[in-house]
């Protein structure tokens, strides 16, 4: 903890203690993450600051704080701050910016009304800092605004929805009836967490793949608490991939566990990736062909080859008919 | 709300930290409460630590303390009389001004406090909320389940965040898309997140022009150097437009593809329904615009025979060639041999 953090804490602590007169020493110490003895020592030192000031100032004689040591011995804190320590320090640029960016990122997720409250909170915070603070721009991929607002309102109002959804792995449109419970961001994209009445299971739906959402007119049912979020499960274990130049970007987009350099002219790096299902790897092999090498034989390779053969047959037939 | 506290550190350092802090509090109090500016000699008489140290280290200590106070936003005024520097603090600008938030605004702040998760940058937001809590802006600590925004983490983010807001130059090793590594020297203008990936945009000092870097391609830890405020960010910088330019372009190339039934919804939604005489039975034709052959071939290949390119012929040939490479690269491995 640097001196600046520590001083910043003092300027928070004294006004807070003044607001919470008679607070237990232990509770106050816990609130500010220090030991009880340190807290009492600090207050004991701060309350004698000021006694010498008359020597130089002629007139202005005051203590930094007034602190009741006897009450502290009884385990309670009573503090009266002077005007010199009556408020916390102003927000640093980094503090304000970090909070502003957090507020902006949630605007892409909540209903229009909450987004408006975020806007007014942002305006109040922005007024507190130097307008030339660093620029930070964040966007959440949240699909169409209309869909996002409908989902957010349905969650708040406990309304059941029917979705028209672009399924990912199976690559086909589905129309599940769902009870929506939450909008969650993962990897820069918004997901709807919902109980699928169609599948009778908890599901995440990527919001930008929701083509349409319609209220069914029924209320949602209580399905108990949803299971804890697990984005990258390893149902199928992990797999080691060798990446050529054309597939290196996988390191930036996929949930890579470990990676390192390879001593090979073509395959520059290795990466160990968790497999939620086999389809993930099949899709990667179809996309990258020889730019990805699987370190140990995997069933997904057979799937990819079968799908590639099917596609070649399709193209052969097109060529036949075009003749 | 919980505030990250003192981590365990060697006792000696903790003690030093404690006395430094209390000395700074004393110094700040004197500078604020005096009626006339005071000299360093007068301050030495008043502050115990300055008295105890020899003259040279006392002077260094005072210089450090002044710098720390300024870092905290305190305006330490200096006047020079007869060659002697005199100091005082009059402005109260370092205090948090009056500000209040409505119940609804506090609800969104309560959601915002979880956005950064455990990331270092998030401790800054938590620090801001702790200051607001000290003036009575207290938030509900119960997590709001219905809305859970998060910002992606990156190991380089913390250093670049500070560099960007303090206008510090920064050096780092960067891996290009072809896998080559090079040292970069950058004046950051803008940090941004797109599709979950962080980018830093700034002036590349070697190339003498604006460049964009993806944080995920930075190798090791970036190092800041020099002084804060080392450069200016162009006044006409439009952060929104710059970040929008990072998003993938739509492209000018045109293709017609056949999609089977309800398969490949992402392609059907992106495409424009059209007619084509070669459309196989059970398929529908869609026109697509795209940027590069390579990227489109890889994307369409995942759908196998559910998406077939009808035209242009050259793209169709690339698809056929690509599927042959998939088979050549992955067919024989079920016998445990690599080609």
């Amino acid at each position: 903890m640097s001196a600046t953090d520590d001083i910043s804490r003092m300027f928070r602590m004294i006004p807070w203690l003044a607001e919470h007169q008679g607070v237990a020493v232990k509770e106050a110490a816990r609130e500010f993450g220090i030991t009880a003895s340190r807290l009492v020592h600090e207050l004991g030192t701060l309350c004698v600051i000021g006694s010498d000031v008359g020597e130089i100032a002629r007139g202005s004689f005051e203590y930094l704080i007034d602190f009741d040591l006897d009450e502290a011995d009884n385990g309670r804190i009573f503090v009266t701050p002077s005007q010199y320590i009556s408020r916390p320090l102003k927000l640093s640029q980094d503090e304000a910016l970090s909070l502003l960016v957090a507020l902006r990122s949630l605007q892409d997720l909540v209903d229009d009304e909450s987004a408006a409250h975020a806007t007014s909170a942002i305006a109040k915070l922005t007024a507190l800092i130097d307008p030339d603070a660093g620029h930070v721009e964040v966007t959440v991929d949240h699909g169409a605004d209309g869909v996002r607002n409908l989902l957010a309102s349905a969650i708040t109002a406990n309304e059941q929805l029917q979705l028209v959804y672009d399924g990912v792995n199976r690559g086909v449109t589905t129309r599940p009836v769902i009870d929506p419970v939450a909008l969650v961001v993962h990897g820069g994209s918004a997901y709807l967490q919902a109980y699928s009445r169609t599948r009778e299971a908890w599901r995440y739906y990527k919001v930008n793949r929701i083509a349409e959402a319609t209220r069914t007119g029924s209320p949602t049912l209580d399905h108990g608490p949803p299971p804890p979020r697990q984005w990258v499960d390893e149902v199928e274990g992990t797999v080691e991939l060798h990446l050529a130049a054309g597939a290196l970007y996988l390191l930036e987009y996929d949930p890579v566990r470990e990676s390192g350099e390879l001593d090979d002219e073509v395959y520059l790096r290795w990466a160990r990736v968790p497999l939620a299902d086999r389809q993930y790897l099949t899709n990667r092999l179809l996309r990258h062909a020889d730019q990805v090498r699987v370190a140990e034989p995997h069933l997904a390779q057979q799937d990819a080859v079968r799908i590639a053969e099917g596609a070649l047959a399709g193209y052969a037939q097109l060529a036949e008919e075009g003749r | 709300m919980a505030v990250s506290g003192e981590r365990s550190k060697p006792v000696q350092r903790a003690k030093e930290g404690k006395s430094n802090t209390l000395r700074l509090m004393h110094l700040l109090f004197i500078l604020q409460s005096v009626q006339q500016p005071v000299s360093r000699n007068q301050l030495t008489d008043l502050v115990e630590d300055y008295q105890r140290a020899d003259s040279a280290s006392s002077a260094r200590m005072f210089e450090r303390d002044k710098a720390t106070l300024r870092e905290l936003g305190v305006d330490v005024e200096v006047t020079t009389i007869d060659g002697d520097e005199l100091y005082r603090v009059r402005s109260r600008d370092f205090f948090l001004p009056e500000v209040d938030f409505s119940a609804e605004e506090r609800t969104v702040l309560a959601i915002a406090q979880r956005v950064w998760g455990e990331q270092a940058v998030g401790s800054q937001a938590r620090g801001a909320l702790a200051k607001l809590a000290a003036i009575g802006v207290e938030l509900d600590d119960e997590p709001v389940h219905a809305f859970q925004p998060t910002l992606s983490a990156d190991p380089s983010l913390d250093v670049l965040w500070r560099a960007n807001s303090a206008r510090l130059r920064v050096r780092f090793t960067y891996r290009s898309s072809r896998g080559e590594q090079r040292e970069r020297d950058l004046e950051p203008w803008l940090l941004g997140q797109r599709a979950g990936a962080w980018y830093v945009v700034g002036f590349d000092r070697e190339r003498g022009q604006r460049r964009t870097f993806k944080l995920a391609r930075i190798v090791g830890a970036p190092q800041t150097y020099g002084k804060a405020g080392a450069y200016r960010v162009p006044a006409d910088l439009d952060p929104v437009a710059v970040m929008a330019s990072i998003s993938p372009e739509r492209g000018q190339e045109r293709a017609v593809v056949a999609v089977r039934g309800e398969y490949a919804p992402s392609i059907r939604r992106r495409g424009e329904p059209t007619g084509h005489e070669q459309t196989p039975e059970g398929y529908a034709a869609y026109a697509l615009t795209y940027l590069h052959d390579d990227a489109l071939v890889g994307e369409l290949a995942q759908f196998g025979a559910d998406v077939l390119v009808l035209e242009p012929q050259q793209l169709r040939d690339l698809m056929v060639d690509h599927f042959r490479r998939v088979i050549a690269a992955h067919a024989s491995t079920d016998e445990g041999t690599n080609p």
Side-chain angles (χ1 to χ4, degrees):
Chain A
M1 181 129 312
S2 69
T4 51
D5 290 338
D6 230 10
I7 288 172
S8 182
R9 173 177 58 80
M10 301 261 182
F11 277 89
R12 282 190 284 117
M13 194 166 79
I14 303 298
W16 187 89
L17 291 171
E19 287 290 316
H20 298 78
Q21 295 292 351
V23 66
V25 174
K26 273 186 189 163
E27 191 193 330
R30 197 167 49 236
E31 177 78 21
F32 292 94
I34 55 175
T35 62
S37 62
R38 177 165 179 183
L39 175 65
V40 174
H41 169 77
E42 284 179 353
L43 294 174
T45 312
L46 293 179
C47 76
V48 296
I49 287 178
S51 51
D52 293 332
V53 82
E55 292 179 33
I56 53 157
R58 277 199 303 277
S60 160
F61 187 88
E62 194 174 8
Y63 290 93
L64 182 54
I65 62 167
D66 188 32
F67 168 58
D68 193 326
L69 262 170
D70 291 339
E71 285 287 358
D73 285 342
N74 297 329
R76 299 269 152 207
I77 296 180
F78 290 87
V79 160
T80 311
S82 69
Q83 54 167 318
Y84 305 111
I85 192 166
S86 56
R87 297 186 66 78
L89 297 178
K90 70 182 174 191
L91 305 186
S92 73
Q93 298 289 343
D94 280 348
E95 286 173 336
L97 197 56
S98 171
L99 186 54
L100 278 170
V101 169
L103 279 168
R104 284 192 220 128
S105 80
L106 72 81
Q107 287 186 297
D108 290 340
L109 203 63
V110 295
D111 55 277
D112 292 348
E113 199 189 326
S114 303
H117 295 307
T119 303
S120 61
I122 286 169
K124 287 178 182 177
L125 281 169
T126 308
L128 297 181
I129 57 163
D130 169 8
D132 281 339
H135 297 291
V136 179
E137 281 294 318
V138 292
T139 48
V140 173
D141 183 359
H142 59 276
D145 279 334
V147 170
R148 187 253 316 154
N149 186 44
L150 180 86
L151 299 177
S153 321
I155 289 168
T156 315
N158 297 317
E159 292 170 322
Q160 190 181 69
L161 297 173
Q162 172 153 38
L163 305 181
V164 176
Y165 186 65
D166 302 347
V168 195
N169 279 348
R170 292 187 305 146
V172 64
T173 295
T174 58
R175 291 180 174 75
V177 172
I178 56 135
D179 291 343
V181 300
L183 280 163
V184 176
V185 175
H186 177 69
S189 293
Y191 291 80
L192 174 70
Q193 185 182 34
Y195 187 85
S196 166
R197 304 286 289 271
T198 311
R199 302 288 293 257
E200 296 188 339
W202 288 100
R203 286 282 184 274
Y204 283 104
Y205 301 92
K206 198 170 187 178
V207 176
N208 71 4
R209 289 180 188 270
I210 299 175
E212 283 171 48
T214 346
R215 292 185 174 90
T216 64
S218 305
T220 57
L221 296 179
D222 184 1
H223 303 283
R229 198 187 329 174
Q230 205 173 8
W231 292 107
V232 188
D233 35 29
E234 296 182 357
V235 179
E236 302 277 325
T238 65
V239 64
E240 184 180 319
L241 301 178
H242 296 172
L243 310 175
L248 278 179
Y249 82 98
L250 207 134
L251 292 170
E252 295 155 32
Y253 290 95
D254 286 20
V256 172
R257 279 290 145 82
E258 290 173 273
S259 102
E261 281 180 38
L262 275 179
D263 187 17
D264 188 292
E265 298 238 318
V266 178
Y267 296 97
L268 306 172
R269 293 183 76 83
W270 63 269
R272 181 156 287 282
V273 295
L275 285 188
D277 62 13
R278 202 158 93 204
Q279 189 76 44
Y280 161 83
L281 183 54
T282 307
N283 284 346
R284 285 287 172 265
L285 299 180
L286 283 166
R287 178 184 278 257
H288 296 297
D290 50 7
Q291 296 293 294
V292 169
R293 184 169 71 184
V294 188
E296 285 147 27
H298 196 283
L299 280 176
Q301 292 172 290
Q302 292 176 29
D303 294 346
V305 167
R306 190 175 38 75
I307 292 167
E309 285 168 349
L312 285 176
Y315 280 107
Q317 200 168 352
L318 275 183
E320 187 75 16
E321 283 164 9
R323 214 164 265 149
Chain B
M1 78 167 280
V3 174
S4 69
E6 188 87 329
R7 299 271 149 76
S8 61
K9 275 184 183 171
V11 175
Q12 188 51 42
R13 264 190 74 190
K15 273 188 181 156
E16 268 173 32
K18 247 198 291 204
S19 64
N20 281 346
T21 304
L22 294 167
R23 179 181 75 243
L24 281 156
M25 295 301 291
H26 194 174
L27 175 63
L28 179 54
F29 172 79
I30 296 167
L31 292 174
Q32 276 185 280
S33 60
V34 290
Q35 306 264 301
Q36 299 296 327
V38 287
S39 68
R40 191 168 69 77
N41 283 340
Q42 287 170 300
L43 288 167
T44 305
D45 288 340
L46 292 166
V47 179
E48 217 179 297
D49 285 1
Y50 296 155
Q51 274 169 38
R52 269 207 301 263
D54 62 64
S55 163
S57 52
S58 161
R60 278 199 305 275
M61 204 187 284
F62 177 61
E63 287 307 312
R64 268 205 312 273
D65 288 352
K66 256 193 318 181
T68 305
L69 291 180
R70 284 182 174 142
E71 210 178 304
L72 288 163
V74 177
D75 178 17
V76 181
E77 292 175 33
V78 185
T79 44
T80 311
I81 295 174
D82 300 336
D84 245 3
E85 287 200 339
L86 302 177
Y87 311 94
R88 75 188 290 192
V89 170
R90 275 187 302 184
S91 165
R92 292 291 164 83
D93 278 357
F94 63 90
F95 283 134
L96 183 65
E98 286 294 342
V99 58
D100 199 16
F101 292 90
S102 68
E104 292 83 2
E105 288 165 347
R106 288 177 198 210
T107 306
V108 293
L109 283 170
I111 300 173
Q113 71 181 330
R114 295 178 192 278
V115 165
W116 288 108
E118 295 303 308
Q119 294 189 64
V121 171
S123 67
Q124 298 287 349
R126 287 191 291 278
L129 290 168
K131 285 177 178 173
L132 293 173
I135 56 164
V137 181
E138 306 216 10
L139 304 181
D140 200 341
D141 244 1
E142 280 295 303
V144 179
H145 182 75
F147 302 103
Q148 302 170 39
T150 53
L151 285 164
S152 314
D154 191 285
S156 303
L157 183 61
D158 191 33
V159 173
L160 290 172
W161 184 281
R162 274 187 288 115
N164 180 54
S165 65
R167 297 196 296 281
L168 278 163
R169 292 190 177 120
V170 62
R171 291 196 186 98
F172 53 85
T173 307
Y174 192 69
R175 193 184 69 237
S176 74
S177 55
R178 308 178 63 88
E180 296 146 6
Q181 296 191 1
R182 269 192 51 190
E183 292 300 314
R184 304 295 184 139
D185 186 346
L186 187 75
E187 297 177 348
W189 292 349
L190 163 67
L191 272 171
Q193 196 189 73
R194 266 279 175 289
W198 282 100
Y199 296 85
V200 59
V201 180
F203 182 75
D204 184 321
R205 291 180 23 97
E206 258 163 56
R207 308 211 172 183
Q209 54 185 241
R210 191 179 97 189
R211 278 280 194 274
T212 301
F213 300 94
K214 192 171 188 179
L215 269 58
R217 289 196 191 147
I218 292 177
V219 181
Q223 302 284 337
T224 57
Y225 69 96
K227 286 190 170 167
Y231 57 90
R232 283 178 172 281
V233 177
D236 59 354
L237 182 77
D238 181 346
V240 177
V242 171
M243 286 312 293
S245 72
I246 294 174
S247 302
E249 292 170 58
R250 268 285 174 219
Q252 300 292 320
E253 305 292 325
R254 186 175 176 278
V256 178
V257 300
V259 180
R260 174 149 53 194
E262 291 222 305
Y263 288 92
S266 57
I267 302 297
R268 284 187 284 116
R269 276 224 271 146
R270 215 173 89 195
E272 198 62 43
T274 183
H276 195 278
E277 53 176 5
Q278 276 201 293
T279 311
E281 205 180 320
Y283 285 68
Y286 293 85
L288 294 177
T289 53
Y290 66 99
L291 195 59
H292 297 299
D293 286 344
D294 287 355
L296 186 68
V297 167
E299 184 185 357
L300 297 183
Q302 297 181 89
F303 300 105
D306 294 332
V307 177
L308 296 172
V309 173
L310 300 176
E311 63 175 55
Q313 182 64 41
Q314 146 264 348
L315 185 66
R316 207 200 268 196
D317 295 342
L318 286 175
M319 292 300 298
V320 169
D321 182 53
H322 182 89
F323 283 119
R324 286 188 180 137
R325 288 195 327 193
V326 170
I327 295 167
H330 301 289
S332 57
T333 47
D334 52 349
E335 277 101 38
T337 53
N338 275 319

Short mmCIF file of all heavy atoms in Angstrom, two decimals, chain A residues 3 13 16 21 32 42 48-49 92 101-102 123 130-131 145 157 165 180 200 215 220 224 226-227 231 240 244 272 274:
data_model
loop_
_atom_site.label_atom_id
_atom_site.label_comp_id
_atom_site.label_asym_id
_atom_site.label_seq_id
_atom_site.Cartn_x
_atom_site.Cartn_y
_atom_site.Cartn_z
N ALA A 3 1.95 5.38 0.02
CA ALA A 3 1.56 6.49 0.89
C ALA A 3 0.31 7.19 0.35
O ALA A 3 -0.56 7.60 1.11
CB ALA A 3 2.71 7.48 1.02
N MET A 13 -11.70 7.75 5.74
CA MET A 13 -11.98 7.15 7.03
C MET A 13 -12.55 8.16 8.02
O MET A 13 -13.54 7.87 8.71
CB MET A 13 -10.67 6.56 7.57
CG MET A 13 -10.81 5.61 8.71
SD MET A 13 -9.24 4.72 8.93
CE MET A 13 -8.27 5.97 9.79
N TRP A 16 -16.09 9.16 7.32
CA TRP A 16 -16.94 7.98 7.55
C TRP A 16 -17.15 7.77 9.04
O TRP A 16 -18.27 7.52 9.49
CB TRP A 16 -16.29 6.74 6.92
CG TRP A 16 -17.15 5.50 6.93
CD1 TRP A 16 -18.04 5.11 5.98
CD2 TRP A 16 -17.21 4.49 7.96
NE1 TRP A 16 -18.64 3.93 6.33
CE2 TRP A 16 -18.16 3.53 7.55
CE3 TRP A 16 -16.56 4.32 9.18
CZ2 TRP A 16 -18.46 2.40 8.30
CZ3 TRP A 16 -16.86 3.20 9.95
CH2 TRP A 16 -17.81 2.25 9.51
N GLN A 21 -20.69 7.75 14.33
CA GLN A 21 -20.20 7.98 15.70
C GLN A 21 -20.52 6.78 16.59
O GLN A 21 -21.62 6.24 16.53
CB GLN A 21 -20.85 9.24 16.30
CG GLN A 21 -20.49 10.54 15.62
CD GLN A 21 -19.03 10.94 15.79
OE1 GLN A 21 -18.28 10.34 16.55
NE2 GLN A 21 -18.62 11.97 15.06
N PHE A 32 -12.02 -0.59 6.82
CA PHE A 32 -10.91 0.04 6.10
C PHE A 32 -9.71 -0.88 5.93
O PHE A 32 -8.64 -0.43 5.52
CB PHE A 32 -10.53 1.35 6.80
CG PHE A 32 -11.63 2.37 6.64
CD1 PHE A 32 -12.60 2.51 7.62
CD2 PHE A 32 -11.75 3.11 5.47
CE1 PHE A 32 -13.66 3.39 7.45
CE2 PHE A 32 -12.79 3.99 5.30
CZ PHE A 32 -13.75 4.14 6.28
N GLU A 42 -3.38 5.32 14.68
CA GLU A 42 -3.48 6.42 13.71
C GLU A 42 -4.32 7.57 14.26
O GLU A 42 -3.93 8.74 14.15
CB GLU A 42 -4.10 5.90 12.40
CG GLU A 42 -3.12 5.09 11.57
CD GLU A 42 -3.73 4.55 10.28
OE1 GLU A 42 -4.97 4.69 10.09
OE2 GLU A 42 -2.98 3.98 9.47
N VAL A 48 -3.26 14.63 17.83
CA VAL A 48 -2.31 15.59 18.42
C VAL A 48 -1.70 16.50 17.36
O VAL A 48 -0.99 17.45 17.69
CB VAL A 48 -1.20 14.90 19.24
CG1 VAL A 48 -1.80 14.17 20.43
CG2 VAL A 48 -0.38 13.96 18.38
N ILE A 49 -1.98 16.21 16.09
CA ILE A 49 -1.49 17.10 15.04
C ILE A 49 -2.21 18.44 15.19
O ILE A 49 -3.43 18.48 15.27
CB ILE A 49 -1.73 16.50 13.64
CG1 ILE A 49 -0.76 15.34 13.40
CG2 ILE A 49 -1.57 17.56 12.56
CD1 ILE A 49 -0.94 14.65 12.06
N SER A 92 -9.47 10.41 -8.39
CA SER A 92 -8.36 10.51 -9.33
C SER A 92 -8.91 10.23 -10.73
O SER A 92 -9.99 9.65 -10.88
CB SER A 92 -7.26 9.52 -8.97
OG SER A 92 -7.67 8.21 -9.31
N VAL A 101 -16.17 3.81 -17.29
CA VAL A 101 -16.15 2.76 -18.31
C VAL A 101 -17.07 1.62 -17.90
O VAL A 101 -17.80 1.06 -18.72
CB VAL A 101 -14.70 2.28 -18.55
CG1 VAL A 101 -14.68 1.02 -19.40
CG2 VAL A 101 -13.89 3.37 -19.24
N ALA A 102 -17.06 1.29 -16.59
CA ALA A 102 -17.96 0.23 -16.10
C ALA A 102 -19.42 0.62 -16.34
O ALA A 102 -20.23 -0.19 -16.79
CB ALA A 102 -17.70 -0.03 -14.62
N ALA A 123 -23.04 11.50 -16.26
CA ALA A 123 -22.90 12.96 -16.36
C ALA A 123 -22.39 13.55 -15.04
O ALA A 123 -21.52 14.43 -15.03
CB ALA A 123 -24.25 13.58 -16.74
N ASP A 130 -11.27 16.00 -14.94
CA ASP A 130 -10.67 16.71 -16.04
C ASP A 130 -11.15 16.09 -17.36
O ASP A 130 -11.04 14.88 -17.55
CB ASP A 130 -9.14 16.54 -15.88
CG ASP A 130 -8.37 17.00 -17.09
OD1 ASP A 130 -8.98 17.58 -18.01
OD2 ASP A 130 -7.15 16.77 -17.11
N PRO A 131 -11.72 16.91 -18.24
CA PRO A 131 -12.27 16.34 -19.47
C PRO A 131 -11.19 15.70 -20.35
O PRO A 131 -11.51 14.92 -21.24
CB PRO A 131 -12.90 17.55 -20.18
CG PRO A 131 -12.29 18.75 -19.54
CD PRO A 131 -11.91 18.35 -18.15
N ASP A 145 -30.89 -3.23 -30.70
CA ASP A 145 -31.35 -2.54 -29.50
C ASP A 145 -32.76 -2.97 -29.10
O ASP A 145 -33.06 -3.13 -27.92
CB ASP A 145 -31.33 -1.02 -29.71
CG ASP A 145 -29.93 -0.46 -29.52
OD1 ASP A 145 -29.14 -1.10 -28.79
OD2 ASP A 145 -29.63 0.59 -30.11
N ALA A 157 -39.83 -8.07 -15.67
CA ALA A 157 -41.27 -8.28 -15.49
C ALA A 157 -41.66 -9.76 -15.41
O ALA A 157 -42.84 -10.08 -15.39
CB ALA A 157 -42.02 -7.60 -16.64
N TYR A 165 -33.92 -18.41 -32.84
CA TYR A 165 -32.51 -18.40 -32.48
C TYR A 165 -31.66 -19.14 -33.50
O TYR A 165 -32.00 -20.24 -33.94
CB TYR A 165 -32.35 -19.06 -31.10
CG TYR A 165 -30.95 -18.97 -30.54
CD1 TYR A 165 -30.40 -17.74 -30.21
CD2 TYR A 165 -30.18 -20.11 -30.36
CE1 TYR A 165 -29.11 -17.65 -29.71
CE2 TYR A 165 -28.88 -20.03 -29.84
CZ TYR A 165 -28.37 -18.80 -29.53
OH TYR A 165 -27.09 -18.71 -29.04
N PRO A 180 -36.74 -16.16 -19.24
CA PRO A 180 -35.45 -15.45 -19.15
C PRO A 180 -35.15 -15.04 -17.71
O PRO A 180 -36.05 -14.66 -16.97
CB PRO A 180 -35.70 -14.20 -20.01
CG PRO A 180 -37.16 -13.96 -19.91
CD PRO A 180 -37.82 -15.31 -19.75
N GLU A 200 -36.22 -28.17 -21.44
CA GLU A 200 -36.26 -28.43 -20.00
C GLU A 200 -34.87 -28.40 -19.39
O GLU A 200 -34.45 -29.33 -18.68
CB GLU A 200 -36.97 -29.75 -19.71
CG GLU A 200 -38.43 -29.71 -20.14
CD GLU A 200 -39.22 -30.93 -19.70
OE1 GLU A 200 -38.59 -31.97 -19.43
OE2 GLU A 200 -40.46 -30.83 -19.64
N ARG A 215 -43.20 -12.03 -26.69
CA ARG A 215 -43.81 -12.43 -25.42
C ARG A 215 -44.88 -13.46 -25.70
O ARG A 215 -45.70 -13.29 -26.61
CB ARG A 215 -44.44 -11.22 -24.73
CG ARG A 215 -43.43 -10.19 -24.26
CD ARG A 215 -44.13 -9.08 -23.49
NE ARG A 215 -43.17 -8.15 -22.92
CZ ARG A 215 -42.70 -7.06 -23.54
NH1 ARG A 215 -43.13 -6.76 -24.76
NH2 ARG A 215 -41.83 -6.28 -22.96
N THR A 220 -43.19 -16.19 -16.18
CA THR A 220 -42.15 -17.21 -16.04
C THR A 220 -42.44 -18.04 -14.79
O THR A 220 -43.14 -17.60 -13.89
CB THR A 220 -40.76 -16.58 -15.87
OG1 THR A 220 -40.80 -15.71 -14.74
CG2 THR A 220 -40.36 -15.79 -17.10
N GLY A 224 -35.84 -22.39 -9.63
CA GLY A 224 -34.74 -22.45 -8.66
C GLY A 224 -33.56 -21.66 -9.17
O GLY A 224 -33.61 -21.08 -10.25
N PRO A 226 -30.24 -20.74 -11.01
CA PRO A 226 -29.54 -21.34 -12.15
C PRO A 226 -28.19 -21.90 -11.70
O PRO A 226 -27.65 -21.44 -10.71
CB PRO A 226 -29.36 -20.18 -13.12
CG PRO A 226 -29.54 -18.95 -12.31
CD PRO A 226 -30.36 -19.30 -11.12
N PRO A 227 -27.68 -22.88 -12.42
CA PRO A 227 -26.38 -23.44 -12.04
C PRO A 227 -25.29 -22.38 -12.21
O PRO A 227 -25.45 -21.46 -13.00
CB PRO A 227 -26.18 -24.58 -13.03
CG PRO A 227 -27.04 -24.23 -14.19
CD PRO A 227 -28.20 -23.47 -13.65
N TRP A 231 -18.21 -21.18 -18.41
CA TRP A 231 -18.13 -20.86 -19.84
C TRP A 231 -17.36 -21.89 -20.60
O TRP A 231 -17.70 -22.25 -21.70
CB TRP A 231 -17.49 -19.49 -20.03
CG TRP A 231 -18.38 -18.41 -19.53
CD1 TRP A 231 -18.21 -17.67 -18.40
CD2 TRP A 231 -19.61 -17.99 -20.10
NE1 TRP A 231 -19.25 -16.81 -18.25
CE2 TRP A 231 -20.12 -16.97 -19.27
CE3 TRP A 231 -20.34 -18.37 -21.23
CZ2 TRP A 231 -21.32 -16.32 -19.54
CZ3 TRP A 231 -21.53 -17.72 -21.49
CH2 TRP A 231 -22.01 -16.72 -20.66
N GLU A 240 -4.27 -30.73 -27.66
CA GLU A 240 -3.13 -29.90 -28.05
C GLU A 240 -3.16 -29.68 -29.56
O GLU A 240 -3.24 -30.63 -30.33
CB GLU A 240 -1.81 -30.57 -27.65
CG GLU A 240 -0.61 -29.69 -27.95
CD GLU A 240 0.72 -30.36 -27.55
OE1 GLU A 240 0.77 -30.99 -26.48
OE2 GLU A 240 1.67 -30.24 -28.34
N ALA A 244 -0.26 -23.17 -37.56
CA ALA A 244 0.53 -22.51 -38.60
C ALA A 244 0.11 -21.03 -38.63
O ALA A 244 -0.85 -20.63 -37.96
CB ALA A 244 0.28 -23.17 -39.94
N ARG A 272 -2.88 -25.49 -25.94
CA ARG A 272 -3.76 -26.50 -25.33
C ARG A 272 -5.11 -25.84 -25.06
O ARG A 272 -5.18 -24.83 -24.37
CB ARG A 272 -3.13 -27.05 -24.05
CG ARG A 272 -3.98 -28.11 -23.36
CD ARG A 272 -3.15 -29.04 -22.48
NE ARG A 272 -2.34 -29.98 -23.24
CZ ARG A 272 -2.80 -31.09 -23.83
NH1 ARG A 272 -4.08 -31.42 -23.74
NH2 ARG A 272 -1.99 -31.88 -24.49
N PRO A 274 -9.37 -26.24 -24.05
CA PRO A 274 -10.38 -27.12 -23.47
C PRO A 274 -11.47 -27.40 -24.50
O PRO A 274 -11.75 -26.56 -25.36
CB PRO A 274 -10.93 -26.28 -22.32
CG PRO A 274 -10.68 -24.87 -22.72
CD PRO A 274 -9.47 -24.86 -23.60
#
